[in-house]
Amino acid sequence: MRSMTGTTLVVVALTATISALLFPIWSYADRSGTGVANLNAGTVNTRWGPLSAADRDFVVRVRLAGLWEGPAGQQAVERAPTPAVKTAGQHLIDGHAFLDARVREVAAQLGMELPTQPNAQQQGFLKTLTGDRDRTTYERDFATIVRQAHGKVFSLVAQIRANTRNSLVRALADDANTTVLDHMQVLEATGFVDFQSLAVSAAATSTASPTGPPPPVPGSTPPAVPPVT
């Protein structure tokens, strides 16, 4: 009897301990201010799945991108400083014409309103490009400014594609991913993208500490990596 009583007390104690550990997870995950609460608060149900605030922001951003990158591409074709820049401009025109048709279709199905003009920052980009009179300056600014914008959108597309629960938004993200990657590649092919500027700009807005293995020692030969079997 004493042995059974002792065992019972141990089981009860363990159960209480586990419950205490799990209770904060169950009780605080959806409380105000948490990520789950914010997700739920900004989400509406649709026939294609839940539509979150992040989903709606993505749809608007796709539209905004086309409102200034399409004209930027048209300007590049008209000014045509080099064949590579002209090619990149034509890709922008074609790609955003396709994406704009897609995003307007998606927005109509979801009952969303879309902007009709670029935001202030994007208008500033166009103003900078229009104001460039020197050929070399224009080529560098066109390739770098538009490539930087695509790099930021590329990260957003991946995040939305990975996390959205809405099938319409997921399909739009697939189309955006293909288009944005194509634009990044043709812009880089111009040879005028300032990658140093892109890296410094990205580092200036990052708060994460550097991670990864230590840098290689200059002049050293790394050991051969065995093949995967």
Side-chain angles (χ1 to χ4, degrees), residues 91-220:
H91 276 244
L92 291 178
I93 295 171
D94 297 339
H96 283 293
F98 165 72
L99 269 187
D100 194 63
R102 286 283 293 115
V103 75
R104 285 187 287 111
E105 176 187 4
V106 169
Q109 291 176 281
L110 295 174
M112 288 183 54
E113 293 187 10
L114 293 176
T116 58
Q117 62 180 1
N119 61 32
Q121 183 185 47
Q122 294 164 340
Q123 292 178 28
F125 292 154
L126 288 172
K127 184 177 180 180
T128 296
L129 296 177
T130 302
D132 285 340
R133 300 304 177 192
D134 177 73
R135 169 177 170 175
T136 301
T137 301
Y138 173 75
E139 291 172 328
R140 184 184 65 249
D141 284 349
F142 169 76
T144 301
I145 290 174
V146 182
R147 168 59 178 79
Q148 183 178 37
H150 277 78
K152 293 179 179 179
V153 172
F154 196 56
S155 301
L156 175 64
V157 172
Q159 182 179 4
I160 294 297
R161 180 60 181 83
N163 299 322
T164 184
R165 296 165 290 173
N166 189 282
S167 60
L168 284 182
V169 175
R170 191 176 304 116
L172 179 63
D174 285 338
D175 292 332
N177 180 73
T178 301
T179 303
V180 172
L181 179 58
D182 170 72
H183 291 176
M184 291 171 68
Q185 291 172 333
V186 293
L187 288 165
E188 292 164 1
T190 65
F192 296 112
V193 174
D194 185 352
F195 289 100
Q196 175 66 17
S197 174
L198 298 184
V200 170
S201 177
T205 58
S206 175
T207 57
S209 300
T211 59
V217 179
S220 63

Side-chain angles (χ1 to χ4, degrees), residues 14-103:
L14 288 174
T15 301
T17 301
I18 294 173
S19 299
L21 291 173
L22 293 179
F23 177 75
I25 299 176
W26 294 335
S27 60
Y28 292 101
D30 60 350
R31 294 189 67 175
S32 176
T34 65
V36 174
N38 293 337
L39 174 66
N40 293 335
T43 297
V44 295
N45 291 321
T46 74
R47 56 181 291 194
W48 299 276
L51 182 71
S52 69
D55 294 334
R56 298 192 296 276
D57 177 69
F58 168 70
V59 173
V60 169
R61 285 174 182 265
V62 172
R63 169 66 170 171
L64 283 171
L67 288 175
W68 83 274
E69 290 171 16
Q74 185 64 46
Q75 184 185 76
V77 170
E78 293 172 355
R79 297 179 69 164
T82 63
V85 171
K86 183 175 181 178
T87 297
Q90 191 61 54
H91 276 244
L92 291 178
I93 295 171
D94 297 339
H96 283 293
F98 165 72
L99 269 187
D100 194 63
R102 286 283 293 115
V103 75

